[in-house]
Every structure is written in C-alpha cells, then in structure tokens.
Amino acid sequence: MSHTLHPLRQPRLQRSELAVPGSNPSFIDKAVDSEADFVFLDLEDAVAPPEKEQARKNVIEALRDIDWTAKGKTVSVRINGLDTPYMYRDVVDVVEQAGDRLHTILVPKVGVPADLYTVEVLISQIEQAKRWPARIGTEALIETTLGMANVEDIAASGGRLEALHFGVADYAASLRARTVNIGGLNPHYPGDQWHFALSQMIVACRAYGLRAIDGPFGDFSDPDGYFDAARRAAALGAEGKWAIHPSQVALANEVFTPPEAEVAKARRIIEALRTAEAEGRGAAALDGKMIDAASERMARAMTTVDDAIRAAAAARG
C-alpha cells in the first residue's frame, strides 16, 4: 500500500440528509424531530430572492434556539453561490451569530478549489475574532461540469472540507443532458446516465478521506424510483443521499443502514481475526471462507457505521 494515505477527515453519520428551505420555519421545526441524520437549512435554490434576507434570519434563529446535537442531528446551512450578492452575508451573519451551533456549511456549485478557500477564509476570520476553536466544516456540491472536471483537485484541497455531494439537477443542466426528472433515468440511455459522474466523485472522496453523498431525487411521489437510485449510489460507495421530502428519509436510512446479519458477520470476522492473531496467524477461516486483513477493513467499515447509528438513535431518545 502507498505511504500516501488520506484517512477519513471527519466521520459523521449521513445516511439521510433532509433539505429544508430556510424560508419556512414550520418545516424547520418538523425536521428537528425527523429521523434524518443530517439536516441542511437551505438559503439557496429553495428560497426565492425576495425571501433571502428573512430566510437567513430564520436559519440563525433555528440554530440558536434548537439544540440539534441533543436531537441526534448534524446541522448544516447551504449558502448561496459565490456568483451571487448573497453569499458573503450568508457566511458572515450565520457564522457570527450562530457559528458555535453550526456543524458544516454546504457550498454550492464548487468549480475550483479556490471557491472553497474563499468561504473558508471568512469562516476562519470570524472564528478567530470570536475566539472560537476552528470547528465548522465545509462540504462541496459538485454540480457543474467544471466542478466534475476538477473534482480530484477539489477533494485534495484540504482545509475544512469534509464531504462532496453530487448535485444531479444543476449537473444535468450544465451538461445539457436530457433527463426526465431530477435524478431520474432517461429511458433512451442504456442504464444509469449518472453512474460515471457519481462514481468519479466517489473515487475522489475515498482517495482523499471525504464522505460521499448522493444528491436529490425530485419525484417524491415515486418511492420506488428513489429507492432504486439510492441502492445504485450505495453500490458505488456513497454513504448517504438527500431527501427533499420527509417521506424519503426512511428510504435513505433503510438503504444505507447495514443489515443486522451483515453487521453480526462483520463482528464475527473481527473476532476470528483477533483469535488468529493471538495464535500467530495472519489469516483465518470463517464459515468455510478465508478471511484476512482486507476482510477486517471491510468489516470495520460496517461496524463503525452500525455504532454511529446506535449512538444517534440513543441521542434521539
């Protein structure tokens, strides 16, 4: 194995990520008690320009008034893009007034590493001024052809970056791809036309220690379509998916939760290898199959997720 290794920068349970418009406080209140692992309060696409300022105030209030961590939630804010007049005020107001309650900032339409650097400079200056320890992470939405062309450089950029998300809707527009609905499949394409892009992003994530999250599926009246899209993403290595409607949360949690039987087997693999190690052997046999160090790495990846799920469930009460 190469001596150049990039371990996971920040582990977080992110099977389901519920998108909530910052312009709707009642939706925010409902999101708190949902089963979603992650909630992002949206200041971007889900908020019309005349509502931007009020949405920002709503988000700050929600961050200040709600103990998201106690509810077993990771909370993020999706800011507006760097090409808008809203971005700098999103970062300054949210971080200055509620940065000590915020886990991550989701940066849309990231095209080059410098886009993240721009946002992170503002975050760092505010944290220094407030004398807070550096703690707010960033996540990047890969949703343009430029972002996908530079996805490895973005993933390798370091800083506060924790995760990449595949924004299929804007990516389709940037690509000028023909699609039937957000995240849906074009019947004239022989398979899944998003497979290559999503796989490319996931490879970059795994190479540089980032979480890989699949984006939205627009037709919330089609649970089967969502379920199939989530399973395809999981097969490629994604660890979670957006939910743009509360009904999609349970589907994402189901797909990205390791089955109990597989978790039990993973724990047996680890136990068998510990026994073999104590006896001076590097490999072992379990259920008629050889297992070794690679088996343990796969097993530990599964048990880590299971432990995180149990901890989050306990936090939710």
Side-chain angles (χ1 to χ4, degrees), residues 28 31-32 39 41 62-63 66-73 75 103:
I28 296 175
V32 176
V39 172
L41 307 177
L63 291 171
I66 300 169
D67 190 340
W68 295 85
T69 301
K71 291 285 188 176
K73 298 277 187 294
V75 63
H103 297 118

Side-chain angles (χ1 to χ4, degrees), residues 107-151:
V107 185
K109 299 177 180 65
V110 173
V112 295
D115 294 340
L116 287 172
Y117 180 78
T118 299
V119 175
E120 293 189 5
V121 165
L122 289 174
I123 297 172
S124 294
Q125 290 187 331
I126 296 167
E127 287 183 338
Q128 290 171 20
K130 294 284 189 179
R131 297 184 178 178
W132 292 336
R135 60 177 298 275
I136 299 173
T138 57
E139 301 177 85
L141 256 170
I142 305 301
E143 52 184 340
T144 65
T145 50
L146 179 63
M148 194 59 71
N150 292 316
V151 69

Side-chain angles (χ1 to χ4, degrees), residues 61-109:
E61 183 178 357
L63 291 171
R64 296 304 309 168
D65 291 350
I66 300 169
D67 190 340
W68 295 85
T69 301
K71 291 285 188 176
K73 298 277 187 294
T74 300
V75 63
S76 180
V77 171
R78 178 165 71 166
I79 60 174
N80 285 279
L82 274 69
D83 60 337
T84 74
Y86 310 111
M87 183 280 290
Y88 83 99
R89 185 53 60 191
D90 289 344
V91 177
V92 171
D93 286 2
V94 171
V95 177
E96 280 193 339
Q97 298 178 49
D100 56 335
R101 300 294 188 94
L102 180 62
H103 297 118
T104 73
I105 287 178
L106 180 59
V107 185
K109 299 177 180 65

Side-chain angles (χ1 to χ4, degrees), residues 156-197:
S157 62
R160 299 168 180 265
L161 186 61
E162 296 183 6
L164 300 183
H165 298 237
F166 180 48
V168 64
D170 280 296
Y171 183 72
S174 178
L175 200 63
R176 298 184 184 178
R178 294 185 178 181
T179 182
V180 289
N181 66 282
I182 295 173
L185 301 182
N186 187 322
H188 299 293
Y189 184 87
D192 181 351
Q193 71 265 41
W194 313 122
H195 177 110
F196 172 75

